C-alpha cells in the first residue's frame, strides 16, 4: 500500500494501525473509525460516510496485502456499528467486500469476514433481507468450509440470519426459490445439511407458503435423501414428512401434476429409502388428487408394477406399491370410454401433458459435471402461480398405458405377481373402456396367446380371463374379424353356425350383440373365432403346451365362455386341419374333456337330451371301420373306449341297455366294437357287459304291444320272474368263470376310471 496516498478522512494513525499485523492494533483503529463515523452521522454528512466505506472497501478489504484485508473487514464492521439503524442505507457497500473475502485462501481471513458480516447483519437486522440471496449464497459456501473455526463462525452467522427471517414478514420467497433450487443439488454433505436446515426454518414460518414452490425443490430433496450421512437422511425425512402432512391438510392448493413425474423417477431408484418414500408420496397423491393423476398413469405403472414382484426383503415397498396400483385402477371408469372428440374443448385444453413434465424433470436430473443443477429455469414458468382449487376432468390416454403393460407382459424376466397385475389391468381396461381398448387388441393378441405358455397357473388363469373378455365383448363385434393366420385355417366367420336360441343355455341371438356383457354372457364377437384358430395353432406348434396345459386351458375357457360354442368352433376348424395326427390328438383331448370334466357337466346334459340318431350314427361309423387298416393305435383307442364305457360317467348309457326296444343301435354299436376287438381283456369286459343285456321278451308288460294273447289267463303275471332270474344266474356264472380265468393269467389291461 502506498504510504503517501491520501486516505482522508482516515488519519495516518488509523491507516497505519489497520495495516498492522497485530489484531489489537487493528481493533484500536476500528474504534477510531467508529468514533469518526458517528460524528459524520451526527452531522448528517453522507458524503464522508460513503467515502470512508469506499476507502475501507477498495483500499483495505480488497487489498492484495492480507493484513490490510483484515483491517478493512474490522473497519467495515465498525462503520456498521456506528451507523446503527442507518446502516441499511449503505448495506450494499458494506456487504459486498466482506462476501468477497469469503473466497479468500487464508482461513483466518475467512473467519474475520464471518465476524465482520455477523456484526453488520446484527446491526441491520431486517434491513438485510433485500440482500438475503447473496448472504445465503455466501453462507452455503462457508457451510462446506474445511476449517472448523470458519465453519463455526458461519454457523453463528447462519443462526442470526434465520432468526431475522423467522421474525420478519418481508421475506422474498419468490426471489429466493431459484437460488434454493440451484443450491439444493450440491453433493457436499455440509452444504446439504445447510440447505435442509433452511427449508425446515422456512417451512415453520406461518407467513411463508413454501408448499406452492415444492415442485421446484422436491427432486433435490429426494436426491439429498440418498446421502451417505445418516443425520442428513434423517433431517431430509423430517422435511419430506412435514411437507406431506401439509399436503394432506391442504390438497386443493397442491400442484400434484407438476410433481407426479418427479415421484415416478424416484420410485424407480435402487435406494430403498428413496423408493419407499417416493412410493408413499405416490400413494397419497393418487388418493388425494384422484383423476388428476390419470395422465401420468403410464409412468406410474412403469414405476409401480416391478415393485409388486419384490420379495420379503422389500416387503414395505411392495405393500405400498400394491396400494398405489389398486388406487390407480379404481380411477378408471366407464366414462373414460367416451371418445375424446365428444368432450368439451375447454376440458381437453387444461389437461397436463405428462411427457412435457417428464422431459423437464429429466433435464433437471442430469445436472452439471459437479452434480449441481442448472439454475437457468424459465422465469415465466407457472411454478410461482398458486394451484387452483377447481380442476377440470381429464382424459385417460390408453396408448401409453397399453404400451407399458405390453412391455411388462413381454418381459419373460418379470416376476409372477407383476405379470398377474398387468393382466388384471388389461382385464379392467377391457371391462371399463372396451371401445378404446379394442383399438389395441391386434397388438396385444400375440403376447396374450404367448402368455398361455407361462409356468404359473395363476398367470394363465388371468390371461384366459382377458382373452375371454376380448372374445365375448360386444365392443369387439365388427363386420370383418380380421385376417386369420395360416393358409390351412382360413375359414369364413360366417361358416361358424351359432346354435339356435331354442335350446337351453345356448348362445344369444345376434340381436343381443349391443347389450352390455361380461365373459359370463355367452356371446360371440369377431375375435372369438380368431382366438379359437390361434389357440389351436399354438397347440399345434407347441405340443408340450397341449400335453401339459391343453385340457386345463380348454376347461377354464368353458367356464369363461360358452362351452358349446367353443366345441362347435374347434370342431369346425379341425375339419380343415391338414395335420391329421394333430387333429386326432386334439379330438381325443376334446372328447376326454367333454366326457370327464366337471366344467362340461351342463353340456353333457344337453347332449343327453338331444333327440337325435346318435346311436345310429355310431353304428354306421363302426361299419366304416371295417374298410380301415386295423393298427395297434386303432385297437388301443377302441380299448380305451371300452374302459370309458365302464366309467361312472357312462352309467346312464349302461342303464339304456335295459331298454332294448328303444336302443337297438346302441346294442348293435357295442357289438360292433366287440367284433373289432381281438380276444383280449377288453373283449372279455365288453362281452360280459353285453351278456347282461336282458332278453326283450322277458321285459314285456301287459300294456306292451307285444303282450301275451288275450286267451292267456287275466290273473297270470305278464313277466316270468323265474325265467328272468334264471337268465341272470346264468350270466353271473359266466362272469365268475371269466374272473377266474383272469386271475390265472393276469390282466394286462390298464383300467383307468376317470371321474
Amino acid at each position: 500500500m502506498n504510504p503517501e496516498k491520501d486516505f482522508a478522512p482516515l488519519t495516518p494513525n488509523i491507516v497505519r494501525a489497520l495495516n498492522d499485523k497485530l489484531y489489537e492494533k487493528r481493533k484500536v483503529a476500528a474504534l477510531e473509525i467508529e468514533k469518526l463515523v458517528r460524528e459524520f452521522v451526527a452531522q448528517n454528512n453522507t458524503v464522508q460516510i460513503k467515502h470512508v466505506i469506499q476507502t475501507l472497501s477498495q483500499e483495505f478489504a480488497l487489498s492484495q496485502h492480507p493484513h490490510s484485508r483484515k483491517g478493512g473487514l474490522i473497519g467495515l464492521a465498525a462503520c456498521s456499528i456506528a451507523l446503527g439503524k442507518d446502516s441499511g442505507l449503505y448495506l450494499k457497500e458494506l456487504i459486498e467486500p466482506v462476501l468477497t473475502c469469503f473466497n479468500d485462501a487464508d482461513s483466518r481471513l475467512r473467519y474475520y469476514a464471518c465476524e465482520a458480516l455477523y456484526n453488520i447483519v446484527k446491526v441491520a437486522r431486517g434491513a438485510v433481507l433485500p440482500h438475503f440471496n447473496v448472504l445465503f449464497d455466501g453462507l452455503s459456501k462457508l457451510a462446506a468450509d474445511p476449517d472448523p473455526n470458519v465453519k463455526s463462525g458461519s454457523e453463528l452467522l447462519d443462526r442470526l440470519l434465520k432468526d431475522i427471517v423467522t421474525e420478519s414478514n418481508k421475506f422474498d420467497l419468490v426471489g429466493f426459490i431459484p437460488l434454493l433450487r440451484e443450491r439444493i443439488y450440491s453433493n457436499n454433505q455440509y452444504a446439504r445439511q445447510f440447505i435442509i436446515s433452511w427449508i425446515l426454518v422456512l417451512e415453520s414460518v406461518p407467513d411463508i407458503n413454501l408448499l406452492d414452490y415444492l415442485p421446484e425443490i422436491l427432486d433435490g430433496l429426494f436426491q439429498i435423501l440418498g446421502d451417505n450421512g445418516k443425520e442428513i437422511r434423517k433431517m431430509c425425512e423430517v422435511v419430506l414428512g412435514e411437507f406431506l402432512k401439509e399436503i394432506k391438510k391442504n390438497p386443493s392448493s397442491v400442484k400434484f401434476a407438476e410433481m407426479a413425474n418427479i415421484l415416478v423417477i424416484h420410485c424407480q431408484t435402487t435406494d430403498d429409502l428413496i423408493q419407499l418414500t417416493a412410493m408413499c408420496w405416490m400413494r397419497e397423491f393418487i388418493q388425494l388428487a384422484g383423476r388428476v393423476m390419470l395422465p401420468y398413469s403410464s409412468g406410474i405403472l412403469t414405476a409401480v408394477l416391478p415393485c409388486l414382484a419384490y420379495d420379503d426383503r422389500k416387503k414395505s415397498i411392495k405393500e405400498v406399491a400394491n396400494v398405489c396400483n389398486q388406487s390407480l385402477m379404481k380411477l378408471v371408469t366407464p366414462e373414460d370410454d367416451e371418445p375424446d372428440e365428444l368432450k368439451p374443448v375447454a376440458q381437453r385444453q387444461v389437461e397436463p401433458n405428462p411427457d412435457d413434465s417428464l422431459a423437464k424433470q429429466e433435464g433437471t436430473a442430469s445436472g452439471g459435471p459437479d452434480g449441481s443443477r442448472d439454475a437457468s429455469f424459465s422465469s415465466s414458468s407457472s411454478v410461482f402461480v398458486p394451484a387452483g382449487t377447481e380442476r377440470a376432468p381429464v382424459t385417460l390416454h390408453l396408448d401409453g398405458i397399453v404400451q407399458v403393460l405390453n412391455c411388462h407382459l413381454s418381459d419373460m424376466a418379470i416376476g409372477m405377481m407383476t405379470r398377474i397385475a398387468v393382466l388384471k389391468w388389461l382385464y379392467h381396461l377391457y371391462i371399463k373402456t372396451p371401445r378404446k381398448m379394442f383399438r389395441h387388441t391386434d397388438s396385444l393378441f400375440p403376447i396374450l396367446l404367448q402368455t398361455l405358455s407361462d409356468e404359473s397357473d395363476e398367470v394363465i388363469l388371468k390371461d384366459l380371463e382377458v382373452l375371454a373378455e376380448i372374445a365375448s365383448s360386444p365392443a369387439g363385434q365388427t363386420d370383418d374379424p380380421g385376417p386369420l393366420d395360416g393358409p390351412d385355417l382360413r375359414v369364413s366367420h360366417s361358416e361358424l353356425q351359432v346354435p339356435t336360441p331354442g335350446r337351453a343355455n345356448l348362445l344369444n341371438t345376434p340381436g343381443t350383440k349391443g347389450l352390455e356383457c361380461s365373459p359370463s354372457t355367452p356371446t360371440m364377437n369377431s375375435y372369438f373365432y380368431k382366438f379359437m384358430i390361434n389357440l389351436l395353432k399354438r397347440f399345434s406348434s407347441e405340443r408340450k403346451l397341449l400335453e401339459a396345459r391343453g385340457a386345463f386351458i380348454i376347461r377354464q375357457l368353458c367356464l369363461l365362455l360358452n362351452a358349446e360354442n367353443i366345441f362347435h368352433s374347434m370342431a369346425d376348424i379341425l375339419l380343415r386341419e391338414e395335420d391329421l395326427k394333430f387333429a386326432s390328438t386334439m379330438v381325443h383331448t376334446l372328447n376326454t374333456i367333454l366326457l370327464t370334466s366337471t366344467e362340461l357337466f351342463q353340456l353333457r346334459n344337453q347332449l343327453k337330451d338331444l333327440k337325435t340318431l346318435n346311436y345310429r350314427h355310431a353304428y354306421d361309423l363302426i361299419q366304416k371301420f371295417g374298410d380301415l387298416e386295423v393298427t395297434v393305435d386303432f385297437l388301443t383307442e377302441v380299448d380305451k373306449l371300452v374302459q370309458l364305457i365302464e366309467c361312472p360317467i357312462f352309467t346312464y348309457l349302461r342303464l339304456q341297455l335295459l331298454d332294448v326296444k328303444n336302443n337297438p343301435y346302441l346294442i348293435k354299436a357295442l357289438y360292433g366294437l366287440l367284433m373289432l376287438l381281438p380276444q383280449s381283456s377288453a373283449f372279455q369286459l365288453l362281452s360280459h357287459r353285453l351278456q347282461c343285456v336282458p332278453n326283450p321278451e322277458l321285459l314285456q308288460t301287459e300294456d306292451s304291444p307285444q303282450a301275451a294273447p288275450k286267451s292267456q289267463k287275466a290273473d297270470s303275471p305278464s313277466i316270468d320272474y323265474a325265467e328272468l332270474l334264471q337268465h341272470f344266474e346264468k350270466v353271473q356264472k359266466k362272469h365268475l368263470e371269466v374272473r377266474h380265468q383272469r386271475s390265472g393269467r393276469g390282466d394286462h389291461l390298464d383300467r383307468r376310471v376317470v371321474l
Side-chain angles (χ1 to χ4, degrees), residues 527-748:
Y527 283 92
F528 175 85
Y529 207 65
K530 182 177 181 180
F531 175 32
M532 293 296 108
I533 289 173
N534 283 278
L535 179 60
L536 289 176
K537 280 192 65 179
R538 193 156 191 86
F539 284 154
S540 178
S541 60
E542 293 186 33
R543 296 302 172 89
K544 290 184 178 180
L545 175 64
L546 176 59
E547 295 171 5
R549 299 285 182 82
F552 172 73
I553 290 173
I554 295 173
R555 286 167 56 190
Q556 294 302 318
L557 282 176
C558 289
L559 291 175
L560 296 167
L561 297 168
N562 182 262
E564 180 175 352
N565 206 25
I566 292 173
F567 273 76
H568 193 285
S569 59
M570 285 191 171
D572 195 27
I573 296 168
L574 289 172
L575 283 174
R576 294 153 179 81
E577 175 60 58
E578 296 179 357
D579 186 347
L580 297 182
K581 186 175 181 180
F582 166 70
S584 175
T585 303
M586 199 65 223
V587 169
H588 176 71
T589 302
L590 291 171
N591 283 338
T592 303
I593 295 171
L594 176 62
L595 296 173
T596 63
S597 299
T598 56
E599 294 86 355
L600 277 299
F601 177 77
Q602 184 176 356
L603 182 56
R604 285 196 296 270
N605 286 339
Q606 291 176 209
L607 293 175
K608 291 177 188 177
D609 295 338
L610 292 177
K611 302 302 181 181
T612 60
L613 301 177
N614 280 341
Y615 296 142
R616 173 63 182 268
H617 179 63
Y619 172 73
D620 292 340
L621 273 178
I622 292 173
Q623 296 300 312
K624 296 288 185 181
F625 290 165
D627 300 331
L628 301 177
E629 179 184 359
V630 179
T631 63
V632 175
D633 291 340
F634 175 81
L635 292 177
T636 301
E637 291 299 319
V638 177
D639 188 291
K640 290 179 181 179
L641 178 58
V642 173
Q643 301 296 329
L644 199 60
I645 291 173
E646 294 299 318
C647 294
I649 198 71
F650 277 109
T651 300
Y652 78 94
L653 182 143
R654 297 195 298 272
L655 288 174
Q656 287 180 346
L657 293 175
L658 294 174
D659 190 2
V660 179
K661 176 185 174 184
N662 292 322
N663 298 292
Y665 283 100
L666 170 60
I667 299 174
K668 287 185 177 183
L670 293 177
Y671 270 109
L673 289 177
L674 188 65
M675 295 302 106
L676 291 173
L677 287 168
Q679 295 288 328
S680 63
S681 57
F683 176 88
Q684 297 296 335
L685 184 64
L686 183 57
S687 175
H688 177 66
R689 175 63 65 187
L690 289 173
Q691 288 173 9
C692 295
V693 177
N695 187 334
E697 295 181 358
L698 297 178
L699 302 178
Q700 294 293 327
T701 63
E702 288 187 7
D703 298 331
S704 301
Q706 300 177 1
K710 292 182 180 181
S711 59
Q712 189 174 351
K713 294 182 180 181
D715 57 345
S716 62
S718 58
I719 299 178
D720 190 338
Y721 288 103
E723 185 176 350
L724 184 59
L725 289 173
Q726 184 180 4
H727 170 75
F728 280 108
E729 287 175 359
K730 188 182 298 183
V731 170
Q732 183 67 19
K733 183 178 180 181
K734 288 185 179 180
H735 175 59
L736 292 174
E737 291 175 356
V738 170
R739 291 187 61 182
H740 179 70
Q741 292 173 1
R742 287 180 184 167
S743 63
R745 66 173 185 271
D747 187 0
H748 67 278

Side-chain angles (χ1 to χ4, degrees), residues 119 151 170 182 239 524 706 720:
N119 288 319
K151 191 180 297 182
K170 297 180 180 180
E182 176 191 356
V239 170
M524 180 177 61
Q706 300 177 1
D720 190 338

Side-chain angles (χ1 to χ4, degrees), residues 208-227:
I208 297 178
N209 186 12
L210 197 56
L211 189 62
D212 281 346
Y213 310 97
L214 183 57
E216 290 293 292
I217 61 174
L218 184 61
D219 180 58
L221 286 173
F222 276 104
Q223 297 276 356
I224 296 176
L225 190 60
D227 192 271

Side-chain angles (χ1 to χ4, degrees), residues 100-115:
T100 303
C101 292
F102 276 10
N103 300 318
D104 199 282
D106 186 352
S107 61
R108 290 295 298 170
L109 204 142
R110 295 198 301 273
Y111 174 78
Y112 287 134
C114 283
E115 187 179 54

Side-chain angles (χ1 to χ4, degrees), residues 295-366:
Y296 307 92
S297 296
S298 58
I300 296 172
L301 289 175
T302 301
V304 167
L305 288 174
C307 300
L308 302 178
Y310 283 173
D311 55 23
D312 289 341
R313 289 174 295 179
K314 295 185 176 183
K315 185 178 179 181
S316 299
I317 300 174
K318 179 180 179 180
E319 291 175 350
V320 179
N322 186 54
V323 175
C324 290
N325 183 56
Q326 297 296 328
S327 300
L328 186 64
M329 189 179 293
K330 291 177 182 178
L331 298 180
V332 182
T333 64
E335 286 72 22
D336 291 311
D337 207 25
E338 180 182 345
D340 295 344
E341 56 270 14
L342 298 181
K343 295 185 177 182
V345 176
Q347 175 180 329
R348 298 198 299 270
Q349 289 176 343
V350 298
E351 293 168 7
N353 188 334
D355 296 332
D356 292 345
S357 179
L358 183 59
K360 175 182 176 182
Q361 294 305 324
E362 290 175 345
T364 60
S366 60

Side-chain angles (χ1 to χ4, degrees), residues 1 72 85 102 120 149 178 201 271 273 278 326 331 344 356 392 407 429 433 453 465 515 588 614 670 697 710 727:
M1 179 176 292
K85 62 180 181 180
F102 276 10
I120 294 172
N149 292 324
V201 168
D271 186 288
L273 179 59
Q326 297 296 328
L331 298 180
D356 292 345
C407 180
L429 291 173
T433 59
S453 302
E465 287 184 12
L515 298 178
H588 176 71
N614 280 341
L670 293 177
E697 295 181 358
K710 292 182 180 181
H727 170 75

